[in-house]
Amino acid sequence: MNITVVGTGYVGLVTGACFSDWGHNVLCVDNDESKIKMLKQLQMPIYEDGLEELVKRNVSEGRLHFTSSISEGVNFAEVIFIAVGTPPGYRGAANLSYVEQVGREVAEHMSDYKLLVEKSTVPVNTFEQLKRTVSKYLRADIPFDVASNPEFLKEGAAIEDAYNPDRIVVGVESARAEKLMREIYKPIIDKTNSPLLVMNPASAELTKHASNSFLATKISFINAVARVCELAGADVEQVAKGMGLDRRIGPLFLKAGVGYGGSCFPKDVDAFVQIADHLGYDFELLKEVQRVNKSQRDFVMQKIQRELWVIQDKVIAVLGLAFKPGTDDVRESPSLYFIPQLSEARAKLRLWDPIAAERFAQLYPNEKYFKDPIECATGADLLLILTDWPEVKSLGPRYAQESDELPGDY
Ligand SMILES: NC(=O)c1ccc[n+]([C@@H]2O[C@H](COP(=O)([O-])OP(=O)(O)OC[C@H]3O[C@@H](n4cnc5c(N)ncnc54)[C@H](O)[C@@H]3O)[C@@H](O)[C@H]2O)c1
């Protein structure tokens, strides 16, 4: 099947590359011409394990193509995935201007039936707005559908997730749309038996925000437990282990640390609170999740202050700049909270990250970057571990012996 994917970022590029690997013909569209130029030269604009090889293979086998032309994208396929960013906007609500723009551009170039699929994370009932937008800008009476197909991949394991999805959620309003979505995912369902859940678009959209908010809740919960443990003389890692072995709870997302970060959890929780508010429900539980997350960082900052007393001129080695291991993504990374503050307090910072250093250095070009974590840490008054990279886990004798998990970010 021919498929167009609009937005060639962490989600769009992985999705497009995987679809092509499953045998579909895929055209990835991005209005950032520099990205498309790089991709045409088989250079990756982002880091994701296994992505380069996947892209190269499918380009060379003729199933994966790139363009900056939306009209080419619209003409190429019956199904058009929208995988553009939905960053935080006014008062924490999602900024949907990129989604709207794609809806408008697709409508302006449509000459026959299209299925527009929301891959981006969007607030519940966005599909109604998207339908309105497409109808408004259509040049003729052309039939179309809008579906929701939220993405659950984790950066750092994105390809693995695409190949072994826990579930595929599809929100549709017509049999035609459902048939197309089933055809797209057939190759991977045949292989893995992953469940494909068909529901209405509002439920599909909401499933994504509810899932991310629940995971964020788990993180804030264990961080709150960690604070109580510290006051009570208990060990949160032991407590988390004891909790996690209960199958009703599960061991994942029970690592106490500096709080959740990244391009999804903070913005998706904020957006979910906003949507609920807008609909007339005060989601106090999630507001507390947000508060705990923020206070966890402030708490670690206070700890640093307590430990060093005077921060000025103290050498602080920061291991990990990415918001989680396996990615070069630094959006909403804890490093962006700590480093500016420590820099302002005139600490002597030494920074290390195996993949994200280059991206971070674009934001903070004047800091000192190290290629080796040991060299970075040597002679430091304080070691701040912000990402649980495997290289860091193997460093200290305590962590190496006692646990393969570090307090870190998600
Ligand atoms: N990154 C993740 O781990 C993840 C996981 C699940 C869901 N999501 C959701 O997926 C969406 C995309 O996230 P991302 O991390 O891939 O974002 P990203 O910023 O990496 O990529 C978005 C891409 O869209 C392009 N774009 C914007 N407007 C465009 C337009 N009008 N036409 C063509 N291209 C356009 C940008 O140039 C960019 O390359 C977001 O809604 C996000 O919340 C992200």
Side-chain angles (χ1 to χ4, degrees):
M1 187 195 280
N2 281 8
I3 301 171
T4 293
V5 180
V6 185
T8 310
Y10 287 89
V11 167
L13 185 55
V14 169
T15 304
C18 290
F19 283 168
S20 66
D21 209 45
W22 301 346
H24 301 302
N25 284 314
V26 179
L27 180 60
C28 288
V29 183
D30 205 292
N31 62 1
D32 181 341
E33 293 196 4
S34 63
K35 266 190 188 177
I36 294 300
K37 194 170 163 206
M38 281 181 84
L39 286 162
K40 283 186 169 172
Q41 293 168 352
L42 298 177
Q43 292 166 5
M44 298 305 107
I46 52 158
Y47 177 81
E48 184 61 48
D49 193 28
L51 184 63
E52 187 167 349
E53 195 238 312
L54 195 69
V55 168
K56 283 183 174 166
R57 185 170 68 243
N58 286 286
V59 167
S60 83
E61 290 173 9
R63 287 187 301 270
L64 182 59
H65 315 270
F66 302 101
T67 183
S68 55
S69 158
I70 189 76
S71 68
E72 229 181 280
V74 176
N75 287 326
F76 181 79
E78 191 176 8
V79 184
I80 300 168
F81 279 77
I82 303 174
V84 297
T86 49
Y90 181 62
R91 290 188 170 177
N95 172 357
L96 298 172
S97 61
Y98 304 105
V99 174
E100 183 190 38
Q101 191 188 345
V102 176
R104 177 184 177 152
E105 288 175 348
V106 168
E108 286 170 347
H109 292 96
M110 262 169 68
S111 56
D112 53 5
Y113 171 85
K114 301 290 173 198
L115 169 62
L116 280 84
V117 186
E118 298 167 352
K119 195 56 150 160
S120 303
T121 303
V122 293
V124 64
N125 290 326
T126 296
F127 77 101
E128 294 285 13
Q129 299 297 341
L130 197 53
K131 283 199 299 192
R132 228 161 54 114
T133 303
V134 175
S135 300
K136 186 170 161 192
Y137 292 102
L138 269 180
R139 295 198 170 139
D141 189 15
I142 303 165
F144 71 93
D145 277 307
V146 170
S148 163
N149 174 217
E151 181 53 61
F152 298 100
L153 65 75
K154 305 182 288 294
E155 284 178 29
I159 294 170
E160 200 184 309
D161 288 344
Y163 272 81
N164 295 290
D166 290 336
R167 76 303 205 190
I168 297 156
V169 171
V170 165
V172 285
E173 290 186 298
S174 78
R176 185 173 187 175
E178 181 179 341
K179 187 166 169 280
L180 287 166
M181 294 305 291
R182 285 193 184 277
E183 202 177 323
I184 290 169
Y185 283 105
K186 186 174 184 313
I188 202 66
I189 290 170
D190 285 351
K191 219 173 181 174
T192 60
N193 237 347
S194 299
L196 184 138
L197 307 179
V198 178
M199 51 186 84
N200 64 38
S203 308
E205 290 170 335
L206 211 137
T207 302
K208 174 66 188 175
H209 269 134
S211 300
N212 272 6
S213 298
F214 185 76
L215 293 172
T217 303
K218 258 186 123 174
I219 296 167
S220 277
F221 183 84
I222 199 65
N223 280 334
V225 170
R227 300 280 285 275
V228 179
C229 283
E230 219 165 283
L231 294 169
D235 179 344
V236 70
E237 287 189 27
Q238 299 295 331
V239 174
K241 201 168 180 179
M243 289 169 62
L245 286 173
D246 184 327
R247 272 174 291 173
R248 294 168 304 175
I249 297 173
L252 301 177
F253 286 78
L254 283 184
K255 273 194 277 177
V258 291
Y260 58 79
S263 64
C264 289
F265 283 3
K267 87 169 171 69
D268 290 351
V269 175
D270 289 358
F272 202 29
V273 168
Q274 279 296 318
I275 302 158
D277 232 30
H278 187 69
L279 292 168
Y281 178 71
D282 184 5
F283 214 143
E284 286 181 272
L285 176 64
L286 281 186
K287 288 181 181 168
E288 187 57 17
V289 168
Q290 294 171 309
R291 196 196 63 74
V292 169
N293 198 55
K294 185 183 174 308
S295 88
Q296 192 68 6
R297 286 190 186 170
D298 296 342
F299 174 68
V300 174
M301 196 66 208
Q302 284 158 16
K303 261 189 159 182
I304 295 171
Q305 177 93 54
R306 235 181 6 247
E307 203 58 44
L308 295 178
W309 181 38
V310 174
I311 292 180
Q312 184 174 335
D313 293 330
K314 296 281 164 49
V315 179
I316 300 180
V318 180
L319 301 184
L321 304 169
F323 85 92
K324 65 186 289 191
T327 182
D328 61 345
D329 198 346
V330 298
R331 289 177 287 183
E332 297 288 328
S333 175
S335 55
L336 292 174
Y337 169 89
F338 289 101
I339 286 165
Q341 289 194 61
L342 294 170
S343 181
E344 200 181 322
R346 299 211 229 142
K348 292 182 174 161
L349 291 169
R350 300 158 69 92
L351 313 182
W352 170 86
D353 191 289
I355 290 175
E358 206 177 306
R359 208 172 274 272
F360 198 83
Q362 289 166 4
L363 303 171
Y364 293 95
N366 298 327
E367 299 298 345
K368 265 193 185 165
Y369 295 87
F370 290 78
K371 291 217 173 320
D372 179 69
I374 306 243
E375 194 193 337
C376 178
T378 304
D381 295 294
L382 187 123
L383 202 57
L384 190 58
I385 299 171
L386 296 182
T387 322
D388 53 350
W389 284 103
E391 291 92 327
V392 178
K393 281 183 186 175
S394 60
L395 273 187
R398 183 185 151 228
Y399 289 121
Q401 283 162 18
E402 285 183 9
S403 161
D404 63 352
E405 290 192 334
L406 267 183
D409 203 41
Y410 297 84

